[in-house]
Amino acid sequence: MDRQPTLARNVRRLQRGASTTACLASTLGFSTLASAATAPPGEGADQSDIVVTGSPSVSAFTATLQNTPQNVNVIPAQVLSDQAVNSVQDALKNVPGITLNAGEGGTHGDNINLRGFAASDDFFLDGLRDTGFYTRDSFNVEAIEVYKGPASTLFGRGSTGGVVNQVSKTPKLDDFFRATVAGGSNSEERGTADVNYQFMDDAAFRINAMGMDAGVADRDFVKNRRWGVAPSISFGIGRPTTFTLEYLHQQQDDIPDYGIPFAFGKPVPVPRETYYGLPSDDRTRTRVNVVTGLFKTQFNDHLWFTDTARYGNYFFDSRETAAHYGTAPPAPGTPLSTVLTFRDRPSVQGTVSTLMNDADLHWKFDVGPVANHLVVGWEVDREESNLVRFANQIDQIPGTPILNPDPFEPFPGHQTQVTQRPDTVTNTISGLVQDTIDIGSHIEATAGVRVDRFHATFNEPITAQHFAHTDTIASPRVALIYKPTDAVSIYASYGTSYDPSAENLSLTAKTASLAPEKDRTFEIGAKAQALNGRLALQAAVFETRMENARVGDPTNPANPQILAGEERVRGFEADAIGHLTDELEIIAGYTHLDSRTVKSTDPASVGAPLLNTAPNQANLWLEYEFVKSLEVGGGLNYLGRRAADVDDTAHVPGYVTFDAMASYQLTKQIKLQINAYNLTNKYYFANSYFSSPLENHVVPGAGRSVLGSISLAL
């Protein structure tokens, strides 16, 4: 990569006001927040010269990353390539403050905590909610953006700890072909292709494709198998009016991993390869189809309009086996050699369908010496979850020794007895007003409010249950930014979010009458450009407090949830991305989270940390270019010990893992790369789930593995 000319271009862009992180990303070959609709004609076709907008991809944002008053982490495409990442969840190891939850009750797919709060419903794709339950592959991802802190003003429900937004690859004004074939020691076979064709002066077509079949190192029987294709077409690239139509199809057929149970407050001491499932029948199958249209028209320099519409259909068939203690967990001191575990088999299949549209009108105008950027937005959203639940076979399969489970134990076969057919429909209508004002050259203020009407209905014909609930709620946001120099910004912000009882497309007798959980966050932070604009730094302190968390009602067994809990997270974050020298690149981050249950109807949980929230977490990734054709890299991921249950009696051990890579540009068209993961072969646990002493598990991370790849670029 010819770094110096690229750096010079980005310094000039920085002087014109582009965001620090965006410039640095382009300097590194990173493609943060790229958009075919905003890239100038003829640019952005090559990874070493990708044009970025300098502002987040979500249309309602009005500032560059440098002047966005919240902590934002961006994982660009080049980092995904250098680390040979194949899923969004794997990519998120570059963002401290995120921990992984394990599935339960037949659920699967991406499931995370962000800043201590559950965020499984807070995944977005090009600014619109990506509702489905599936493993998001990265083959069509240009960048991953993590907006930390409440974001209901811009994103709607949820987002207590933040949101994860995927930016799709879009057509460029160029012709190119890229392909990568990879093979690994974990029996991995993976191939990707990326083809772009410009067929008019301002129009192009692009298609990305992927196929993968892989095991997990030292996890017997576990399989990850998926394929996908993502064509897109754009008209008016670089013109005042642009339109892009995208289609994403992805299928998976996995043998899932429900991990290892806890005993006496810690994971059962068995070898990493121990498998408690029944691989002859366990399956996670998904079929995802998403169609997205993105329209933008710029009337003049002061007025423009954006509109994004989507139809999504997410089918899944989930049959998993997890360990379960039946009627009683082992008593303390019981020899584990005498303990049996049973087979919990909560099978479910169904379809989640979505239809949504988000539109924003931007108007820049002056009132005397004050410059305004006003956004008026509206959104409509219909989501439906139509499920079929099957009888659990836990009472039909004999127990198996917890220290030596039998994966080939005879069982009745796949359950076909239907117990429930729940259908949940949510309809949301939202309005947004936000104004950002510049008071001179040093002070910028933002104030906005979003009002959502969230209506949910639930019908279950077998049990004859019907519930309906409507919430109308306002989500305000205010922020103040002080810019003492062009290279430094200091901000203070206040934001709120809300979590309705049906936010995960589920409504029950326990939750149907509950108002939304509400939280508020105060955050103070700073962002800076260092080393002549080659390094972007950010740091923040914050407090998030949820004062009406859902908790059990011990006085009313018929309605066992009330809004009487209080949860609080105080934290500090610091991040760096860019060049330390012309040859040395860095991505680093650290997060400290002090989480507490402040109030609850469960006295044992008061004072305990929040579930699966690590007090300390850090990541580091360095790459060094010895010569133009040879680059090596490596890094670490650290996650501290975390509580597995609400009473802080069970724990997941902390760990440090190390990864490395080396790449060699054999010719102008051919690149060779090798990646090694978990170099020390650390036995660690990545995902955790704990609903009770009877039902719990923790999923081991993969053992040491090596992946080799060959990339072709024409």
Side-chain angles (χ1 to χ4, degrees):
M1 182 188 302
D2 187 2
R3 298 184 189 279
Q4 291 298 332
T6 308
L7 176 61
R9 283 193 298 270
N10 287 318
V11 169
R12 290 193 295 270
R13 291 179 59 237
L14 182 60
Q15 293 169 342
R16 294 195 299 266
S19 86
T20 306
T21 305
C23 293
L24 287 165
S26 186
T27 301
L28 294 170
F30 293 173
S31 174
T32 66
L33 318 172
S35 170
T38 54
E43 297 192 50
D46 185 84
Q47 285 191 340
S48 64
D49 187 20
I50 293 178
V51 171
V52 289
T53 67
S55 60
S57 64
V58 181
S59 63
F61 271 90
T62 59
T64 65
L65 285 177
Q66 173 72 18
N67 295 322
T68 298
Q70 67 186 100
N71 193 295
V72 182
N73 294 99
V74 178
I75 311 168
Q78 191 61 44
V79 171
L80 305 182
S81 175
D82 291 345
Q83 296 180 353
V85 166
N86 60 41
S87 71
V88 170
Q89 186 166 278
D90 286 345
L92 292 176
K93 68 183 180 182
N94 292 286
V95 181
I98 291 179
T99 51
L100 308 181
N101 298 319
E104 59 89 15
T107 60
H108 60 280
D110 299 325
N111 191 353
I112 65 172
N113 278 359
L114 181 51
R115 280 189 174 181
F117 295 94
S120 61
D121 192 42
D122 296 327
F123 284 89
F124 287 73
L125 178 63
D126 297 320
L128 289 181
R129 192 177 301 274
D130 189 25
T131 307
F133 306 108
Y134 69 107
T135 299
R136 293 163 176 83
D137 197 280
S138 59
F139 78 101
N140 192 46
V141 173
E142 193 75 70
I144 300 169
E145 308 164 348
V146 181
Y147 301 92
K148 293 181 177 178
S152 286
T153 303
L154 298 177
F155 292 97
R157 72 176 191 265
S159 70
T160 300
V163 303
V164 177
N165 183 51
Q166 308 155 78
V167 182
S168 298
K169 295 178 179 178
T170 53
K172 310 294 182 185
L173 292 181
D174 197 4
D175 296 341
F176 60 79
F177 171 83
R178 302 172 187 143
T180 299
V181 177
S185 60
N186 59 333
S187 302
E188 178 170 343
E189 299 174 350
R190 179 178 172 90
T192 61
D194 182 359
V195 182
N196 192 93
Y197 173 64
Q198 179 183 348
F199 60 88
M200 292 173 59
D201 289 345
D202 62 353
F205 172 81
R206 187 172 184 177
I207 184 168
N208 278 265
M210 170 276 302
M212 188 181 87
D213 188 324
V216 176
D218 297 338
R219 288 298 292 156
D220 291 351
F221 307 109
V222 180
K223 274 285 189 180
N224 295 314
R225 297 172 292 212
R226 56 183 180 263
W227 69 272
V229 62
S232 57
I233 189 168
S234 292
F235 299 92
I237 301 174
R239 309 291 189 186
T241 299
T242 63
F243 176 72
T244 299
L245 183 64
E246 304 172 344
Y247 171 60
L248 170 66
H249 176 84
Q250 183 185 309
Q251 290 187 208
Q252 69 184 97
D253 184 1
D254 297 348
I255 299 178
D257 192 352
Y258 261 49
I260 291 169
F262 287 85
F264 316 133
K266 56 186 179 181
V268 171
V270 293
R272 176 163 37 202
E273 62 269 17
T274 306
Y275 189 74
Y276 290 84
L278 298 171
S280 63
D281 189 64
D282 289 1
R283 290 293 183 275
T284 297
R285 297 188 174 98
T286 66
R287 186 172 60 248
V288 174
N289 292 283
V290 179
V291 180
T292 306
L294 304 97
F295 173 79
K296 177 182 178 181
T297 185
Q298 186 142 0
F299 303 105
N300 52 53
D301 291 343
H302 304 285
L303 187 66
W304 66 93
F305 173 77
T306 65
D307 191 280
T308 306
R310 170 170 300 150
Y311 168 75
N313 185 278
Y314 308 83
F315 167 81
F316 66 92
D317 181 3
S318 182
R319 308 198 304 264
E320 288 110 345
T321 302
H324 196 291
Y325 287 114
T327 58
T334 304
L336 288 178
S337 59
T338 66
V339 175
L340 298 180
T341 183
F342 297 89
R343 310 288 192 170
D344 186 21
R345 307 202 74 220
S347 300
V348 60
Q349 66 177 221
T351 301
V352 174
S353 57
T354 64
L355 185 63
M356 56 188 70
N357 188 89
D358 179 83
D360 295 291
L361 180 66
H362 292 248
W363 181 28
K364 284 187 172 183
F365 61 94
D366 295 336
V367 178
V370 177
N372 291 259
H373 185 161
L374 179 68
V375 180
V376 178
W378 54 97
E379 182 175 348
V380 292
D381 179 351
R382 183 187 189 276
E383 303 172 45
E384 180 173 8
S385 172
N386 196 325
L387 307 181
V388 178
R389 298 191 183 278
F390 300 93
N392 197 319
Q393 297 174 313
I394 191 170
D395 297 327
Q396 302 178 36
I397 306 173
T400 188
I402 196 170
L403 295 181
N404 188 27
D406 179 9
F408 305 107
E409 182 178 17
F411 67 100
H414 177 52
Q415 181 60 274
T416 58
Q417 179 187 350
V418 176
T419 59
Q420 291 182 330
R421 294 183 178 274
D423 181 83
T424 305
V425 178
T426 66
N427 290 279
T428 307
I429 301 175
S430 309
L432 164 71
V433 178
Q434 177 177 282
D435 192 17
T436 299
I437 62 174
D438 289 325
I439 307 171
S441 59
H442 297 292
I443 297 178
E444 183 177 292
T446 297
V449 63
R450 174 183 174 126
V451 177
D452 291 282
R453 183 186 184 275
F454 181 82
H455 176 71
T457 59
F458 173 90
N459 290 284
E460 207 299 300
I462 295 178
T463 59
Q465 289 183 307
H466 172 78
F467 308 112
H469 189 80
T470 301
D471 296 304
T472 301
I473 192 164
S475 302
R477 180 188 190 218
V478 293
L480 184 68
I481 300 175
Y482 173 61
K483 297 176 281 188
T485 70
D486 290 340
V488 176
S489 61
I490 302 168
Y491 67 87
S493 67
Y494 167 80
T496 66
S497 67
Y498 72 98
D499 302 288
S501 53
E503 69 168 322
N504 291 307
L505 302 185
S506 177
L507 205 62
T508 69
K510 301 177 182 180
T511 62
S513 62
L514 293 181
E517 295 176 313
K518 301 176 185 178
D519 66 81
R520 51 191 175 87
T521 292
F522 296 91
E523 180 170 323
I524 299 174
K527 302 184 182 186
Q529 308 158 13
L531 303 180
N532 295 320
R534 297 187 304 183
L535 184 67
L537 306 171
Q538 63 178 349
V541 294
F542 63 90
E543 177 180 280
T544 298
R545 187 176 291 270
M546 181 181 289
E547 296 180 341
N548 66 335
R550 287 187 285 267
V551 293
D553 182 359
T555 67
N556 185 5
N559 187 21
Q561 285 201 337
I562 55 177
L563 297 176
E566 183 176 340
E567 298 171 346
R568 185 264 298 156
V569 177
R570 292 174 180 156
F572 166 76
E573 297 173 329
D575 306 282
I577 179 173
H579 273 97
L580 296 175
T581 69
D582 289 345
E583 297 81 18
L584 182 61
E585 307 165 9
I586 183 173
I587 296 178
Y590 167 75
T591 296
H592 171 73
L593 299 176
D594 176 15
S595 66
R596 288 287 180 273
T597 297
V598 178
K599 185 170 65 174
S600 176
T601 54
D602 173 17
S605 69
V606 175
L610 300 187
L611 278 176
N612 198 23
T613 300
N616 295 288
Q617 191 174 355
N619 70 283
L620 173 67
W621 181 258
L622 296 166
E623 290 187 31
Y624 187 81
E625 187 180 66
F626 285 94
V627 294
K628 193 172 182 179
S629 58
L630 176 63
E631 191 163 12
V632 299
L636 63 85
N637 284 274
Y638 164 71
L639 189 64
R641 181 176 182 262
R642 55 207 191 272
D645 69 326
V646 294
D647 296 339
D648 197 23
T649 60
H651 300 90
V652 184
Y655 64 86
V656 179
T657 59
F658 299 90
D659 302 330
M661 62 81 67
S663 66
Y664 181 70
Q665 196 72 40
L666 185 64
T667 69
K668 187 177 180 180
Q669 293 81 26
I670 300 175
K671 179 181 178 181
L672 308 178
Q673 183 168 311
I674 187 167
N675 290 79
Y677 307 99
N678 193 5
L679 290 169
T680 63
N681 203 31
K682 175 71 175 178
Y683 185 5
Y684 70 99
F685 300 96
N687 308 54
S688 176
Y689 168 75
F690 199 110
S691 70
S692 73
L694 298 175
E695 182 184 1
N696 48 67
H697 54 269
V698 62
V699 180
R704 182 191 297 117
S705 61
V706 178
L707 182 72
S709 61
I710 302 175
S711 298
L712 176 66
L714 300 175

